[in-house]
Amino acid sequence: MLLAEFLPSRPNRLWSLSRQMGLGHAVGPLPWEEKEPWEYVPLLHMKRRFEDAGLKLEVIESMPPSNRIKLGAPGRDEEIETFKRFIENMGAVGIPVLCYNFMAQFNWFRTSTTTVTRGGALVSSYDHSLLKDAPLTEAGIVTEERLWDNLKYFLERIVPVAEKAKVKLALHPDDPPISPIRGVSRILRSADALQRAIDLVPSEYSGVTLCQGTLATAGEHIPSVIRRFAAQNKLFFVHFRDVRGSAEKFEETFHDDGQTDMLEAMRTYYEVGFSGPARPDHVPTMEGEDNANPGYELLGRLYGVGYIKGLMEAAAGRTRSIS
């Protein structure tokens, strides 16, 4: 496993702390400070910044504008052309994995970002009952059938580009895994749904981001899901996190305080020989932090990395430096 952190596109304190924690791998966004961040030069410059800091950029975890693609709205073909250039440029620069999603209208969604957890730390949470009277979005009713059709249309055009560029497409499940939300369906709510998605256009370059928190929320047994996708060589990227609750109502947790047996999960990654990138995700906001960036403040990340490194050493059966 290549333990990484999600870092901004330009150096900051977390870059230095990541190296001090012994990390040598990074997950980055598109360099949004650039006018067209998906073009070759902005991607090259970002990758070189990471390398100059001693970090290898393993994954890009953001996408060019794509809501028209997801909705099948006018302009989707133009968005697809931009997406193709993005994939081609990733391949040319040498960034091997793209984490993408097919959540229309909004990405991961919570009803609170100030839920109190252990010791007064703050986490995000979701309560579906709070949305029963929520208005529709401007997209109106978006059906599951429509989203499945649009996903297939997208993959038929993007997968061949990814194959040629040798960029792995790692599909993230819908978070939260419940449908609909404000009239917008969510189709990637389970391991079976992820399987259906990657089977639409089969390719060795089309696989999944195994987000443990989302799939645990959906009621999946995480070690079984790891084995399922690893056996197909479809496990490209991991979000190592945990939750407490169900798709109807759940909250994020510290890595050692959720419903998943995290040591069993880590041992399973070692059992299947997973050697790809993984990162902590959606960490609690801890004492002294202002919660301006819920799920991504600093101290919870440090805690998460330390905990994951300990699990890695336990799963490997020896004490060693992990980078």
Side-chain angles (χ1 to χ4, degrees):
M1 180 180 287
L2 306 176
L3 184 55
E5 253 296 0
F6 184 80
L7 301 173
S9 62
R10 292 185 177 276
N12 70 349
R13 185 184 182 197
L14 189 55
W15 281 42
S16 298
L17 289 170
S18 294
R19 292 297 297 126
Q20 290 171 11
M21 289 187 291
L23 301 185
H25 308 277
V27 177
L30 279 166
W32 289 108
E33 67 275 9
E34 303 287 348
K35 183 178 180 181
E36 294 185 313
W38 44 82
E39 295 296 348
Y40 179 86
V41 171
L43 293 175
L44 176 64
H45 285 173
M46 181 174 69
K47 180 170 182 282
R48 291 296 299 166
R49 285 195 295 272
F50 278 113
E51 290 173 351
D52 291 341
L55 294 159
K56 183 179 179 184
L57 182 57
E58 302 286 352
V59 183
I60 288 185
E61 193 171 335
S62 60
M63 303 154 54
S66 58
N67 202 48
R68 290 184 175 91
I69 294 172
K70 296 168 185 176
L71 294 175
R76 72 170 170 179
D77 288 330
E78 289 79 3
E79 287 189 344
I80 286 174
E81 289 306 311
T82 297
F83 214 108
K84 287 179 179 179
R85 290 206 312 278
F86 172 41
I87 298 295
E88 291 166 348
N89 290 327
M90 280 186 64
V93 167
I95 304 169
V97 178
L98 171 65
C99 176
Y100 75 107
N101 69 76
F102 215 74
M103 292 178 269
Q105 288 299 104
F106 38 80
N107 199 328
W108 68 284
F109 183 85
R110 298 290 185 267
T111 53
S112 173
T113 58
T114 54
T115 299
V116 178
T117 190
R118 188 173 69 194
L122 302 179
V123 294
S124 69
S125 63
Y126 182 79
D127 184 345
H128 198 61
S129 69
L130 299 176
L131 294 174
K132 66 181 187 304
D133 298 321
L136 301 179
T137 73
E138 62 271 21
I141 299 295
V142 180
T143 67
E144 294 190 15
E145 181 181 16
R146 176 178 168 188
L147 289 172
W148 279 114
D149 289 345
N150 294 340
L151 177 58
K152 183 177 182 182
Y153 184 93
F154 169 73
L155 290 175
E156 286 173 341
R157 288 151 182 80
I158 291 298
V159 168
V161 178
E163 290 176 336
K164 186 174 181 180
K166 293 182 168 48
V167 171
K168 293 181 177 180
L169 303 173
L171 179 59
H172 191 290
D174 294 344
D175 182 16
I178 195 166
S179 182
I181 299 175
R182 297 185 61 194
V184 180
S185 293
R186 315 278 269 191
I187 57 174
L188 303 172
R189 307 191 305 271
S190 65
D192 284 346
L194 287 172
Q195 186 72 59
R196 176 181 172 184
I198 62 176
D199 286 345
L200 290 173
V201 183
S203 169
E204 64 179 305
Y205 287 93
S206 182
V208 303
T209 294
L210 200 159
C211 180
Q212 291 187 179
T214 304
L215 293 173
T217 301
E220 300 281 1
H221 181 246
I222 298 303
S224 298
V225 177
I226 294 168
R227 293 187 184 96
R228 175 178 186 171
F229 289 108
Q232 305 172 65
N233 294 318
K234 298 294 189 180
L235 181 51
F236 294 164
F237 180 37
V238 170
H239 283 176
F240 199 92
R241 67 177 180 93
D242 207 8
V243 297
R244 187 184 303 111
S246 65
E248 289 278 346
K249 187 176 183 179
F250 66 88
E251 64 181 58
E252 310 277 3
T253 68
F254 282 95
H255 280 81
D256 63 344
D257 198 32
Q259 63 198 41
T260 302
D261 185 331
M262 299 295 255
L263 180 55
E264 181 188 8
M266 185 61 75
R267 284 174 170 158
T268 306
Y269 288 116
Y270 275 75
E271 170 194 315
V272 301
F274 175 66
S275 60
R279 70 169 182 89
D281 195 18
H282 296 191
V283 299
T285 297
M286 299 181 71
E287 176 64 28
E289 298 179 312
D290 64 9
N291 205 34
N293 194 15
Y296 291 93
E297 295 288 359
L298 178 61
L299 296 179
R301 298 199 199 203
L302 304 186
Y303 184 91
V305 168
Y307 185 76
I308 294 170
K309 291 185 75 167
L311 292 179
M312 291 173 72
E313 290 181 354
R318 62 188 185 278
T319 300
R320 61 184 176 85
S321 175
I322 298 170
S323 60

